[in-house]
């Protein structure tokens, strides 16, 4: 008698959480490589080993998927670099190291800034929560007399971040420095970043 099609061992069902995580991982690679406009949901689905329909079941649009990926990345950066408001030069050095090791992560963020400017952040946006926490930390050290009070803490954070990401945001200048700088090493670029931040915001004594 022929065996029933439904009999015999079957593959274990894939957990929905696992599929969602694969989608997010695949989306990060796709967005970093192609940007938001150039990314394709069908390629994300293929890389995540799922269907395009399943991707849209988790995320209502490609922009929503990007927003989720980018927000998660901001949290990862914050955890990996750990801002010490009393040692902003050290923080800048850690940011420099992070993006030197992960240029694709910088591209992921840069694409969103270019292609989705003015996007309104949701109330529970983890990236905004990270930034608010850092600004509050800076305000506290100002009140403790460990950081010059003339600076707005939001300006402090913006300037330190920009200096730390100077080289990540200008890969063509990095190539020029490698060929023409007195010291062409990445260590020299890092030292310049740390020194620049130290001149503006010295470590607390």
């Amino acid at each position: 008698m022929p065996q029933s099609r439904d009999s015999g061992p079957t593959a274990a069902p894939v957990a929905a959480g696992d599929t969602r995580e694969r989608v997010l991982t695949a989306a990060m690679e796709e967005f970093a490589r192609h940007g938001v406009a150039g990314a394709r949901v069908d390629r994300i689905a293929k890389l995540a080993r799922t269907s395009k329909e399943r991707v849209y079941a988790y995320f209502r649009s490609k922009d929503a998927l990007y927003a989720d990926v980018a927000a998660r990345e901001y949290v990862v950066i914050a955890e990996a670099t750990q801002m010490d408001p009393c040692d902003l030069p050290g923080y800048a050095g850690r940011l420099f190291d992070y993006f030197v090791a992960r240029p694709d992560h910088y591209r992921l963020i840069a694409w969103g800034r270019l292609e989705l400017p003015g996007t309104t952040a949701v109330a529970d946006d983890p990236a905004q929560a990270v930034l608010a926490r850092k600004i509050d930390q800076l305000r506290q050290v100002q009140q403790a007399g460990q950081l010059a009070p003339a600076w707005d803490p939001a300006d402090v954070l913006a300037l330190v971040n920009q200096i730390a990401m100077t080289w990540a945001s200008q890969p063509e200048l990095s190539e020029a420095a490698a060929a023409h700088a007195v010291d062409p090493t990445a260590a020299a670029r890092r030292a310049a970043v740390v020194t620049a931040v130290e001149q503006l915001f010295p470590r607390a004594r």
Side-chain angles (χ1 to χ4, degrees):
M1 182 175 182
Q3 188 177 21
S4 168
R5 182 178 298 176
D6 295 327
S7 63
T10 58
V14 177
D18 293 342
T19 304
R20 190 176 189 277
E21 285 301 313
R22 290 202 308 271
V23 168
L24 288 166
T25 300
M28 181 167 186
E29 181 177 328
E30 178 75 7
F31 286 129
R33 182 176 300 173
H34 300 287
V36 183
R40 295 290 177 266
V41 175
D42 54 349
R43 285 198 298 254
I44 293 171
K46 182 177 181 181
L47 187 60
R49 306 191 309 280
T50 189
S51 67
K52 187 175 179 178
E53 292 73 22
R54 177 59 61 186
V55 174
Y56 282 121
Y58 292 123
F59 305 95
R60 66 182 183 277
S61 67
K62 184 170 65 171
D63 286 0
L65 174 55
Y66 173 82
D68 199 309
V69 170
R72 285 161 57 103
E73 177 59 15
Y74 276 111
V75 173
V76 169
I77 293 169
E79 292 175 351
T81 57
Q82 289 295 320
M83 188 188 82
D84 179 352
C86 294
D87 182 14
L88 294 175
Y91 168 61
R94 288 189 291 276
L95 275 177
F96 176 91
D97 293 340
Y98 185 89
F99 288 114
V100 164
R102 304 167 184 82
D104 54 325
H105 291 219
Y106 179 83
R107 290 195 302 272
L108 171 79
I109 293 170
W111 278 117
R113 289 171 176 165
L114 287 170
E115 298 188 73
L116 300 174
T119 302
T120 302
V122 296
D124 59 348
D125 182 352
Q128 288 300 311
V130 166
L131 295 174
R133 184 169 65 251
K134 288 182 177 181
I135 290 170
D136 187 58
Q137 287 179 296
L138 292 167
R139 184 175 290 111
Q140 289 178 30
V141 297
Q142 282 181 320
Q143 293 169 350
Q146 297 174 303
L147 180 66
W151 292 96
D152 189 301
D155 291 327
V156 174
L157 183 59
L159 289 167
V160 172
N161 284 352
Q162 191 63 40
I163 292 169
M165 291 185 278
T166 294
W167 297 100
S169 66
Q170 301 180 88
E172 72 286 353
L173 190 54
S174 295
E175 293 180 14
H180 304 292
V182 174
D183 183 343
T185 64
R189 307 287 78 75
R190 186 187 196 278
V193 163
V194 172
T195 299
V197 175
E198 176 73 30
Q199 292 292 319
L200 280 172
F201 311 112
R203 294 175 175 87
R205 304 300 180 188

